[in-house]
Amino acid sequence: MSSSIKGEVVTEPSGYDGGRRVSVYVPPVPPEGVVFAGDGQLISQWGGVLEAAGAPPTMIVGSYRLDDEMARLHEYSPVFDEQRFAAHEKFFVEDVREWVRSRFGVTLPAERTAVCGVSASGELALAMGLRHPDLYGAVFCASPGGGYRPPDEMPDPLPRTYLVAGTLEPFFLENANRWAVALRDAGADVVMTERVGSHGDPFWSEEFPLMVAWAFGRS
């Protein structure tokens, strides 16, 4: 845990995939919102960014990704390996949420719960939001990959969605805009933001407090 943050980061193994780790940023006061995320090695470390920005106190629950990029994509996107995606979906949606409830005593309604991802895990966030809008009331998606695309028939209801992508990553910017148009056409509440930057630039973490404030408001 970095000494520069007031909250705490807790990392523990899970019972999935031989002990896949989950890291949780626990804010210094009771959370007003919770964000579940893939790429947990990265996103769970953004608690300090929230603190510095004065964002609403928010718990970040980050499930770790696989090192193998193709295996990561198969877990995060529903279009490549249905069986592998379904196994990870069960872990992410059921096991991790139950662990957060039992370990930290945190259970918040959908309107105070978001799912977040960047790049390939941005596809995961979109898929989880569309498949489980009763659990995740908002989707935070930065620079999504292009494997998972908007379905021809959108589910109802749809989660609120905040998309961001960089002007120097045209492939990912195109994917984000595609989702923004499709979700808006289906009646969803959508924010689509373009930032100067390329894939993996700091604009991902810099946008995170804006996403949280948009979804959960301020005290």
Side-chain angles (χ1 to χ4, degrees):
M1 183 186 71
S2 170
S3 61
S4 65
I5 68 171
K6 297 177 182 178
E8 179 184 12
V9 177
V10 177
T11 302
E12 294 185 5
S14 71
Y16 175 71
D17 191 34
R20 184 78 63 87
R21 288 188 291 174
V22 181
S23 280
V24 179
Y25 163 74
V26 184
V29 297
E32 298 175 10
V34 58
V35 177
F36 291 88
D39 288 331
Q41 298 96 317
L42 175 68
I43 297 173
S44 66
Q45 306 304 308
W46 290 353
V49 180
L50 294 182
E51 291 180 11
T58 300
M59 175 176 281
I60 309 169
V61 183
S63 306
Y64 277 37
R65 64 173 176 258
L66 293 170
D67 292 332
D68 182 276
E69 184 62 27
M70 188 58 66
R72 170 182 175 242
L73 186 59
H74 285 189
E75 282 192 339
Y76 284 179
S77 179
V79 300
F80 298 108
D81 186 330
E82 184 177 347
Q83 185 173 0
R84 187 162 198 163
F85 175 84
H88 181 266
E89 179 181 27
K90 181 180 183 300
F91 162 67
F92 189 91
V93 172
E94 299 179 13
D95 301 348
V96 174
R97 288 177 57 254
E98 173 57 26
W99 176 73
V100 169
R101 185 200 64 79
S102 62
R103 175 70 168 79
F104 301 99
V106 173
T107 304
L108 292 174
E111 59 265 25
R112 310 301 298 180
T113 304
V115 59
C116 177
V118 299
S119 192
S121 67
E123 297 181 52
L124 174 69
L126 289 162
M128 293 300 95
L130 264 64
R131 294 161 74 98
H132 305 281
D134 57 322
L135 302 178
Y136 310 108
V139 173
F140 305 156
C141 179
S143 309
Y148 178 48
R149 297 193 173 200
D152 292 335
E153 292 188 16
M154 287 285 194
D156 183 26
L158 286 165
R160 304 170 67 209
T161 303
Y162 191 126
L163 293 139
V164 64
T167 56
L168 304 179
E169 49 168 9
F171 171 77
F172 299 96
L173 180 58
E174 179 183 3
N175 296 333
N177 277 313
R178 179 186 300 113
W179 273 102
V181 169
L183 288 165
R184 283 188 184 125
D185 286 350
D189 180 3
V190 178
V191 171
M192 173 62 213
T193 302
E194 296 183 16
R195 300 293 185 197
V196 176
S198 58
H199 206 63
D201 274 2
F203 75 83
W204 285 353
S205 60
E206 291 167 359
E207 200 75 19
F208 190 57
L210 302 179
M211 294 171 163
V212 167
W214 170 79
F216 303 142
R218 296 186 179 275
S219 301

